[in-house]
């Protein structure tokens, strides 16, 4: 086990909690010690939910370990059902409770068999020490769907009935969940696109669905796997059991959205156009102003779905250069490694944010696309950043309509990625002309305000090992270099100075180092 300050994913019971919180008329009994109730804050504080998640904890304490903790589970199951009256109960244990081996799922099933619980129970066995949050969400959704639909599975060899003439094609949107990245708005955008091509949405799950809704899943003609980290396992089971095909393309970006609609048309037997909808990204990518973006070096890290989509958009639609690609989703590491080979970069498969920081520091990209952790890393390094994937913080659950999928999602992505670069250019120009008599802080304001008194610039800190310092004119010249590559220029210059046995970086040293590393 490795101690860390930040984690990309929580334990698998947090993934189960996301599924329970996403649904209606479902309650999750979690066998857990008193300290494991922190997860409620993820939904009320970060996602801004107006109600607490439907989770009840047994909250045993240290003194309870010498008694009958299994009896505590059965008592809490009865009390929870009497209080909330759910249609289905999920029963599992946290990573700490797993060590006690009370097997709460087995206890709950025994209560159902004895008539002590009048609702179905889905037992969850989520190995906390070998799996993580997204796997827990995927497994919970799969167990829910499979447990409720198993009795409807037709015998092997049964042909799926043809769609009735005159009935529009039906589709299930599978995967959107609580704490997902922009799921609420993605569902709205994709539902609108499907309606435009004559396809009706049958069930959206797990977000907003009830157990009764899950029973209607087989009625659809096919499924849209919007978030593979959550829904791929379920989609594969539905295809094996009910013969329901599912889409392979995640519609993030203009090109992917077009491919998605073509795939939907093939599954639904409808026609679709090759338009880009209302997306402005293709037009701007062809405009003269976009030449500033061409060749920008971008580092991408996040869950596999969003990282792969971001790499495609960056390479094909914005003419960026992908210099780094990685994910913390080990279940999809093969897909990311394949994409990294296609882009000619070294894949980064890790859940250690310090390894990600080392890679960003090494590559010195001009834009970072990642999670809230990469936002912190980029801020420390002075590199523009845009968040593209969970885990995220409260500012990434905006009140406005802000999808990532579909043509409108392409507009949102374009704004989110390009604005940091444009603002970075503006900041660089302001810094470069700081000493110009017309642009410095003491220059007269066109608004009539009094000029701000010039404040002395702080003396730069010496290099980490203390053996190289910078002269004032060299430091001033260094500030003219764009901030997003300034750190790399400083490190290269100091390395050059050490190789030349110089203890002070002068203006000439800076120029010599630039010539040396430009060869």
């Amino acid at each position: 086990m490795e101690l860390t300050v930040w984690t990309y994913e929580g334990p698998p019971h947090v993934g189960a909690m996301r599924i329970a919180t996403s649904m209606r008329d479902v309650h999750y009994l979690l066998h857990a010690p008193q300290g494991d109730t922190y997860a409620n804050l993820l939904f009320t504080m970060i996602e801004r939910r107006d109600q607490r998640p439907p989770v009840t904890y047994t909250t045993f304490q240290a003194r309870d370990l010498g008694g009958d903790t299994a009896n505590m589970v059965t008592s809490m199951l009865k009390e929870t059902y009497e209080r909330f009256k759910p249609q289905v109960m999920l029963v599992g244990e946290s990573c700490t409770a797993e060590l006690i081996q009370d097997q709460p799922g087995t206890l709950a099933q025994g209560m159902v068999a004895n008539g002590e619980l009048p609702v179905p129970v889905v037992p969850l066995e989520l190995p906390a020490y070998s799996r993580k949050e997204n796997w827990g969400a995927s497994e919970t959704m799969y167990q829910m769907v499979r447990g409720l639909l198993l009795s409807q599975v037709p015998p092997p060899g049964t042909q799926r009935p043809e769609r009735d003439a005159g009935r529009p094609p039906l589709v299930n949107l599978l995967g959107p969940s609580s704490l997902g990245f922009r799921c609420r708005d993605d569902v709205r955008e994709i539902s609108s696109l499907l309606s435009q091509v004559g396809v009706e949405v049958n069930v959206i799950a797990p977000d907003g669905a009830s157990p009764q809704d899950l029973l209607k899943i087989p009625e659809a003609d096919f499924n849209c796997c919007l978030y593979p980290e959550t829904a791929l396992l379920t989609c594969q089971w539905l295809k094996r059991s009910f013969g329901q095909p599912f889409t392979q393309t995640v519609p993030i970006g203009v090109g992917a959205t077009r491919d998605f609609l073509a795939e939907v048309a093939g599954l639904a037997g409808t026609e679709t156009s090759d338009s880009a909808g209302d997306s402005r990204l293709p037009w701007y990518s062809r405009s003269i102003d976009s030449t500033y973006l061409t060749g920008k070096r971008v580092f991408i890290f996040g869950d596999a779905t969003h990282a792969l989509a971001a790499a495609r958009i960056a390479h094909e639609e914005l003419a960026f250069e992908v210099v780094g690609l990685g994910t913390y989703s080990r279940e999809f590491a093969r897909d990311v490694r394949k994409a990294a080979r296609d882009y000619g970069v070294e894949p980064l498969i890790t859940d250690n944010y310090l390894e990600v920081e080392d890679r960003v520091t090494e590559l010195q990209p001009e834009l970072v696309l990642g999670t809230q952790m990469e936002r912190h890393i980029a801020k420390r390094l002075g590199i523009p950043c845009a968040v593209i994937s969970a885990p995220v913080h409260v500012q990434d659950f905006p009140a406005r309509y802000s999808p990532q999928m579909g043509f409108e999602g392409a507009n949102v992505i374009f704004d989110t990625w390009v604005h940091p670069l444009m603002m970075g250019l503006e900041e660089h120009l302001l810094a470069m002309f700081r000493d110009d008599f017309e642009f410095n802080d003491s220059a007269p304001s066109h608004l009539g305000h009094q000029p701000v008194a010039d404040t002395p610039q702080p003396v730069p800190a010496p290099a980490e090992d203390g053996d190289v310092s910078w002269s004032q004119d060299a430091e001033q010249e260094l500030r003219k270099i764009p901030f997003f590559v300034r750190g790399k220029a400083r490190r290269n210059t100091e390395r050059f100075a050490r190789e030349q046995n110089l203890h002070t970086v002068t203006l000439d040293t800076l120029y010599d180092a630039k010539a040396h590393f430009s060869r």
Side-chain angles (χ1 to χ4, degrees), residues 1-15:
M1 182 177 292
E2 187 177 78
L3 295 177
T4 182
V5 177
W6 299 100
T7 59
Y8 288 98
E9 296 181 89
H13 72 263
V14 173

Side-chain angles (χ1 to χ4, degrees), residues 98-401:
E98 184 180 331
L99 301 174
I100 305 174
Q101 298 185 348
D102 280 332
Q103 296 183 319
T106 302
L107 294 173
Q109 285 182 310
M111 294 176 66
V112 173
N114 295 334
E116 298 177 74
L117 276 179
V119 293
V121 167
V122 178
L124 300 175
E125 295 183 7
L126 308 176
Y129 297 97
S130 59
R131 298 289 188 171
K132 294 198 173 183
E133 180 182 328
N134 279 340
W135 182 89
S138 174
E139 182 69 13
T140 301
M141 182 177 177
Y142 164 69
Q143 293 293 350
M144 279 277 292
V145 172
R146 183 179 182 276
L148 292 173
L149 295 180
L150 196 58
S151 61
Q152 297 186 32
V153 175
T158 304
Q159 292 294 323
R160 185 170 178 81
E162 295 290 334
R163 174 163 55 93
D164 295 338
R167 176 179 70 79
L170 294 178
V171 63
N172 301 314
L173 304 185
L174 302 183
S177 69
S178 180
L179 285 180
F181 189 63
R182 308 289 172 82
C183 290
R184 173 199 64 189
D185 297 339
D186 284 348
V187 166
R188 174 179 161 188
E189 177 70 13
I190 295 305
S191 298
S192 175
L193 286 178
L194 292 173
S195 176
Q196 294 174 26
V197 296
V199 177
E200 291 187 3
V201 175
N202 179 49
V203 172
I204 300 169
D207 194 31
S210 69
Q212 293 298 320
D213 294 327
L214 298 187
L215 294 174
K216 298 189 297 183
I217 285 179
E219 298 173 8
D221 300 295
F222 63 100
N223 297 312
C224 285
C225 184
L226 295 184
Y227 304 94
E229 279 85 358
T230 305
L232 180 59
L233 185 62
T234 301
C235 288
Q236 291 171 337
W237 182 79
L238 290 170
K239 183 177 182 179
R240 292 194 306 269
S241 302
F242 293 94
Q244 284 181 316
F246 62 93
T247 58
Q248 307 289 327
T249 306
V250 178
I252 300 179
V254 174
T257 300
R258 285 171 170 165
D259 292 346
F260 170 79
L261 290 175
E263 190 175 1
V264 165
L267 294 175
T270 61
E271 295 183 358
T272 184
S273 65
D274 191 37
S275 71
D278 295 326
S279 177
R280 299 174 182 84
L281 189 152
W283 167 82
Y284 192 90
S285 296
R286 295 191 299 269
S287 72
I288 188 65
D289 292 337
S290 71
T291 55
Y292 168 69
L293 305 175
T294 303
K296 288 296 183 184
R297 303 172 69 255
V298 58
F299 175 87
I300 302 168
F301 191 89
D303 67 43
T305 296
H306 289 89
L308 291 172
R312 176 177 177 177
I313 296 170
H315 178 73
E316 297 182 5
E317 300 177 20
L318 290 173
F320 289 168
E321 179 188 356
V322 178
V323 296
L325 177 63
T327 184
Y328 58 83
S329 303
R330 294 186 181 275
E331 292 83 3
F332 296 86
R334 182 177 299 177
D335 298 329
V336 174
R337 288 194 177 99
K338 180 181 181 301
R341 286 196 301 270
D342 294 340
Y343 296 119
V345 300
E346 182 70 23
L348 180 60
I349 313 299
T350 183
D351 57 4
N352 187 334
Y353 67 96
L354 295 176
E355 293 182 18
V356 180
E357 182 170 3
D358 289 342
R359 185 67 63 88
V360 174
T361 304
E362 173 192 348
L363 294 173
Q364 284 294 310
E366 294 163 280
L367 177 66
V368 172
L369 304 174
T371 72
Q372 69 167 338
M373 254 90 86
E374 283 65 53
R375 176 164 50 202
H376 298 323
I377 291 169
K379 186 175 182 180
R380 283 196 298 273
L381 297 176
I383 301 173
C385 179
V387 174
I388 63 164
S389 161
V392 294
H393 217 303
V394 61
Q395 65 264 45
D396 297 303
F397 288 97
R400 68 186 183 280
Y401 181 59

